[in-house]
Amino acid sequence: MLSVQFGENVLAETNGFKLIIDKKEDLSGLPEGVVSQAATMTKNMKMDGKWVFTLQTPSMYPFLQYSDKRELREKLFTGYFMKGDNDNKRDNKSIIAKIARLRVERSHILGYKSYADFVLERTMAKTPQTVFDFLSQVWTAATPVAKSEADAQQAVIKKEGGKFKLEPWDWWFYTEKIKQEKYNL
C-alpha cells in the first residue's frame, strides 16, 4: 500500500504542476510547435491567451531545451525535481522511510543482511558488491565525459556574457546550443 501511495503522490504532483505563461516574450527561444502545443493545453483548461507547460515529458523537455528564459527553466526543473518533496499532503519522505524500514525488516526476517542482498540474489548481479563494482566502472568512465560537457557548456555561458554557474536546469539548453553550433543545424 505504501508503494501504491508513493506512486499516486508522484502522479498527482506530476499532473498538478503547471507553469503558466501569460507574456509572449516568455516564450522566447521555443519552436513554434512547442508554443502551439502549450496554447492547446490552455484551451483545454479554459485559459485562452496563455501557454501551459507541465512536467509531462513532451511538454517539459522541449521547454528545458529551447527556452531562453533561465528563471522559467529553473521553475519547471525544480517542479520536476521536487515531486513528492514539497511538505504537502503528497509528500513522500515519510513513505520512503517506512518502505525502507519494512524492506530491511523483511530482509532480516528472511535471513538476509540487507534488502539489496535479498533482491539481488536472483538477478545476474547476485550481490550488492557486484552492483557497486559495476557502478564504479560506469562512474569512472562517465565522470570525465560529464565534466567535459559541463566545461563546454560553461564556456558557452561565458562566451555569451553570462555571469552565472551552470545549473541542472541549464543542461538541456546549453547542450542544444552546442549541438546546433557543432552540427550547424
Side-chain angles (χ1 to χ4, degrees):
M1 290 308 295
L2 290 170
S3 294
V4 170
Q5 185 62 55
F6 178 92
E8 287 176 356
N9 288 347
V10 170
L11 182 61
E13 293 236 319
T14 299
N15 292 338
F17 181 94
K18 290 169 187 53
L19 175 64
I20 300 169
I21 295 180
D22 53 10
K23 294 185 286 194
K24 193 162 182 80
E25 59 266 21
D26 285 341
L27 301 170
S28 176
L30 296 172
E32 185 53 42
V34 173
V35 172
S36 294
Q37 180 184 356
T40 300
M41 290 279 294
T42 60
K43 286 179 183 162
N44 297 339
M45 298 173 184
K46 298 181 179 21
M47 290 193 280
D48 290 344
K50 297 182 182 190
W51 300 266
V52 171
F53 294 89
T54 69
L55 300 181
Q56 304 294 338
T57 301
S59 178
M60 181 181 72
Y61 280 11
F63 191 90
L64 293 173
Q65 190 172 7
Y66 296 110
S67 175
D68 291 335
K69 299 296 183 175
R70 186 169 191 251
E71 67 282 355
L72 295 176
R73 290 196 317 265
E74 178 181 4
K75 195 178 283 189
L76 188 63
F77 179 86
T78 302
Y80 175 76
F81 186 76
M82 295 300 292
K83 289 184 294 186
D85 188 14
N86 290 300
D87 297 324
N88 59 17
K89 69 179 184 173
R90 298 294 186 183
D91 195 277
N92 275 330
K93 290 186 288 286
S94 68
I95 292 173
I96 291 169
K98 289 174 189 171
I99 290 171
R101 183 180 47 75
L102 290 170
R103 285 179 173 179
V104 169
E105 188 178 309
R106 180 170 95 183
S107 301
H108 289 167
I109 289 169
L110 295 173
Y112 293 90
K113 187 168 68 174
S114 70
Y115 182 72
D117 288 300
F118 168 63
V119 296
L120 291 172
E121 181 182 56
R122 293 190 177 148
T123 67
M124 189 170 81
K126 299 280 185 232
T127 69
Q129 188 58 51
T130 304
V131 173
F132 286 128
D133 291 345
F134 174 73
L135 289 176
S136 179
Q137 290 174 3
V138 171
W139 184 261
T140 300
T143 299
V145 174
K147 284 182 180 179
S148 174
E149 289 177 4
D151 290 344
Q153 292 175 20
Q154 192 65 54
V156 172
I157 292 168
K158 183 177 179 182
K159 184 174 89 176
E160 292 179 346
K163 306 270 190 247
F164 57 89
K165 182 181 175 288
L166 178 73
E167 294 290 347
W169 47 87
D170 299 318
W171 196 270
W172 288 273
F173 182 74
Y174 287 101
T175 295
E176 183 63 24
K177 280 187 170 245
I178 290 169
K179 184 172 75 173
Q180 295 290 329
E181 186 178 295
K182 186 175 182 178
Y183 299 109
N184 226 3
L185 300 174

